[in-house]
Amino acid sequence: MSRVLREIIEHTGRERPNDETFVTRQYIANPASIRCTVAIDDEGVAVGFQSLVRAEGGNRYDVPAGWGIIGTHISPRAHRQGVGSALFRSSQEAAEQAGIEKIDAYIGADNASGHRYYEAMGFQTYRVPEGIVQKVYTVG
Ligand SMILES: CC(C)(COP(=O)(O)OP(=O)(O)OC[C@H]1O[C@@H](n2cnc3c(N)ncnc32)[C@H](O)[C@@H]1OP(=O)(O)O)[C@@H](O)C(=O)NCCC(=O)NCCS
């Protein structure tokens, strides 16, 4: 998963935390996690992952408490092959099982592929803080 994040940084030039400690804390051992789904290739190597966490009061994205917060990270090696769509089917199922009604996606304003992807998944823009677009998906 760290390697996936590093490949995305190399591809986009957008820096972000990527070390194993961060990945473990944020995606694997996060007590607010609802589900983190990892996509692997035929050799068992991770090509991408999607995390869904429950928004807690005062979260840094200003998402209402109780909503889901989604994050999608797919290696450029695997773009436009349906990986993101498959991951979202898993997250959608997890959201339904957890009783989550809305999911927030927090996307850099300049991230055109991120916008197109979340729109294709059914998300709609609801808020535009400086440099960011927040989209929401209604579960069910
Ligand atoms: C955005 C991202 C998640 C898309 O993942 P993906 O596995 O390539 O997505 P899919 O192949 O399942 O594409 C699903 C649909 O999304 C849309 N889409 C995805 N990438 C797109 C792009 N670059 N341009 C236009 N539409 C795009 C299309 O409608 C696509 O359907 P189609 O291929 O049948 O036309 C991936 O590019 C990524 O992880 N990028 C780096 C990190 C990032 O930007 N994360 C999201 C925002 S924080």
Side-chain angles (χ1 to χ4, degrees):
M1 291 162 75
S2 280
R3 188 171 53 234
V4 166
L5 293 175
R6 285 196 296 274
E7 288 169 352
I8 294 171
I9 292 165
E10 204 173 303
H11 181 70
T12 61
R14 284 193 287 270
E15 199 46 63
R16 59 197 310 167
N18 61 75
D19 60 85
E20 289 178 23
T21 306
F22 169 80
V23 165
T24 303
R25 193 178 60 231
Q26 187 74 15
Y27 301 118
I28 297 172
N30 186 343
S33 178
I34 295 166
R35 183 182 289 182
C36 180
T37 311
V38 181
I40 56 171
D41 66 15
D42 290 341
E43 277 75 49
V45 176
V47 295
F49 59 96
Q50 184 165 67
S51 77
L52 180 67
V53 301
R54 193 184 298 272
E56 290 167 341
N59 64 81
R60 69 188 183 97
Y61 304 110
D62 199 22
V63 171
W67 284 25
I69 299 176
I70 200 164
T72 313
H73 315 278
I74 297 165
S75 166
R77 292 182 275 129
H79 283 177
R80 292 311 278 279
Q81 296 171 24
V83 175
S85 306
L87 290 176
F88 188 60
R89 286 193 287 277
S90 172
S91 296
Q92 237 177 338
E93 177 193 78
E96 279 171 27
Q97 288 173 0
I100 297 288
E101 292 175 2
K102 304 268 185 192
I103 301 174
D104 172 276
Y106 187 92
I107 313 155
D110 61 350
N111 182 355
S113 58
H115 293 284
R116 299 291 295 275
Y117 164 71
Y118 281 116
E119 278 161 19
M121 297 304 107
F123 285 70
Q124 290 179 330
T125 300
Y126 75 102
R127 194 194 277 162
V128 283
E130 178 81 37
I132 300 293
V133 175
Q134 282 179 274
K135 293 185 189 292
V136 64
Y137 177 85
T138 303
V139 179

